[in-house]
Amino acid sequence: MAKPSNLRSSSFANSGATPEVRLFSLPGIPEIHAGRDLVKCVIDAARRAAIRFESGDILVIAQKIVSKAEGAVVRLTAIKPSPKARSLAGRLKKDPRAVQVVLNESRRIVRSDHVLITETHHGFVCANAGVDHSNVPGNDVVTLLPRNPDRSAKKLAAAFRRRTGKRVAVIISDTFGRPWRLGLTNVAIGAAGLPVLLDLRGSRDRHGKLLSATILAIADELAAAAGLLMEKSKGSPVVLIRGYRYKPRFEPATRIIRPAAEDLFR
């Protein structure tokens, strides 16, 4: 278990008491394959860790296991690369079959000089369209992003509600790079049951100054916090967050995507 610094949201916290936010890794999640009951795997892991779900809990679930459960997996042996994929692969020193999968998952290429940055069919701008070969058995297998991560999160949240009797929000997370900064951080690509953005415009700071531009990416901040416990080498793809206060809401993570007309990097 990890306990970060206390977090407080003036919009959601009650009457001056600062809530304590706690994070719990749920170890022992088995290797996930298509059709496996992911909700049961998570509930079983929580039971083994002696954790009982409470209403208001937030589960941050790594995209990789959601993709595996949904069968969003591709064998490169079945892929025939196009001339465009071969050309890009030669320049980037990549497997042309993997590059073809990236092209299949993309609306368009944003950059291709040092790394392949694309806009996915969901609207995410990220490296390799989220196509990944890490933590996947076999050398010729890659995973894709879930076809509709928000829909996946909504289905998972509903299933946890049915099976636990508790209102549990779900964030599906993935690691993304960021303009101007080194390193990867977890972000929310799917969400259900909680606000993904906290709009503070029109409120005032502690010195009484009016806030005119502050919108917090709450779902991304929660995903990033959970990422501290999602060690890839130890197979920890699920983290439970408890104590963060929010008003239940079905708000898609796609709301976080900046409109192209406002995006300085596209």
Side-chain angles (χ1 to χ4, degrees):
M1 181 185 74
K3 189 192 312 184
S5 300
N6 289 343
L7 303 176
R8 186 176 187 275
S9 164
S10 58
S11 293
F12 299 142
N14 293 328
S15 69
T18 301
E20 180 182 61
V21 177
R22 294 178 291 164
L23 281 74
F24 304 87
S25 177
L26 300 185
I29 302 290
E31 179 65 32
I32 302 298
H33 51 74
R36 187 150 197 173
D37 190 337
L38 183 55
V39 172
K40 181 179 185 300
C41 291
V42 173
I43 291 173
D44 288 347
R47 185 180 299 113
R48 287 191 297 269
I51 295 173
R52 293 186 177 182
F53 288 99
E54 298 177 3
S55 289
D57 284 347
I58 301 167
L59 282 172
V60 181
I61 303 176
Q63 158 270 320
K64 185 66 60 69
I65 63 171
V66 176
S67 293
K68 288 179 179 179
E70 294 180 351
V73 177
V74 172
R75 292 193 175 276
L76 296 182
T77 51
I79 299 299
K80 182 178 180 180
S82 64
K84 182 176 183 179
R86 291 185 182 279
S87 175
L88 285 169
R91 185 147 46 89
L92 297 170
K93 296 180 172 55
K94 299 284 188 180
D95 185 330
R97 300 170 302 173
V99 172
Q100 184 61 55
V101 176
V102 172
L103 295 179
N104 293 345
E105 294 299 303
S106 302
R107 289 180 182 171
R108 65 186 181 96
I109 296 173
V110 178
R111 296 288 295 272
S112 63
D113 42 3
H114 299 294
V115 64
L116 194 53
I117 305 294
T118 75
E119 181 179 355
T120 72
H121 296 298
H122 321 80
F124 304 130
V125 176
C126 58
N128 301 315
V131 176
D132 192 10
H133 68 273
S134 65
N135 281 322
V136 183
N139 295 324
D140 286 325
V141 181
V142 295
T143 57
L144 316 177
L145 296 181
R147 184 55 52 192
N148 187 327
D150 284 316
R151 183 174 60 199
S152 300
K154 190 172 183 179
K155 287 182 177 179
L156 288 168
F160 281 112
R161 180 70 177 261
R162 287 195 306 270
R163 299 196 196 183
T164 68
K166 305 297 182 182
R167 175 179 48 78
V168 178
V170 171
I171 292 172
I172 297 175
S173 70
D174 196 10
T175 49
F176 275 32
R178 300 155 296 160
W180 294 334
R181 301 182 71 82
L182 294 174
L184 302 174
T185 187
N186 269 23
V187 302
I189 64 168
L194 78 168
V196 299
L197 296 171
L198 175 57
D199 191 346
L200 297 179
R201 292 174 299 181
S203 64
R204 296 184 181 274
D205 67 13
R206 63 184 300 176
H207 299 289
K209 296 176 181 176
L210 186 67
L211 301 177
S212 60
T214 303
I215 303 175
L216 301 180
I218 293 300
D220 281 352
E221 291 190 327
L222 292 166
L228 295 172
L229 298 183
M230 287 183 170
E231 299 180 61
K232 291 183 181 295
S233 62
K234 294 184 178 179
S236 303
V238 182
V239 171
L240 184 146
I241 299 178
R242 176 168 294 164
Y244 179 74
R245 300 182 184 179
Y246 62 93
K247 294 178 180 178
R249 187 182 307 168
F250 279 96
E251 187 173 70
T254 48
R255 276 205 65 204
I256 304 174
I257 299 174
R258 188 184 297 277
E262 301 174 13
D263 194 332
L264 300 179
F265 303 98
R266 281 195 268 179

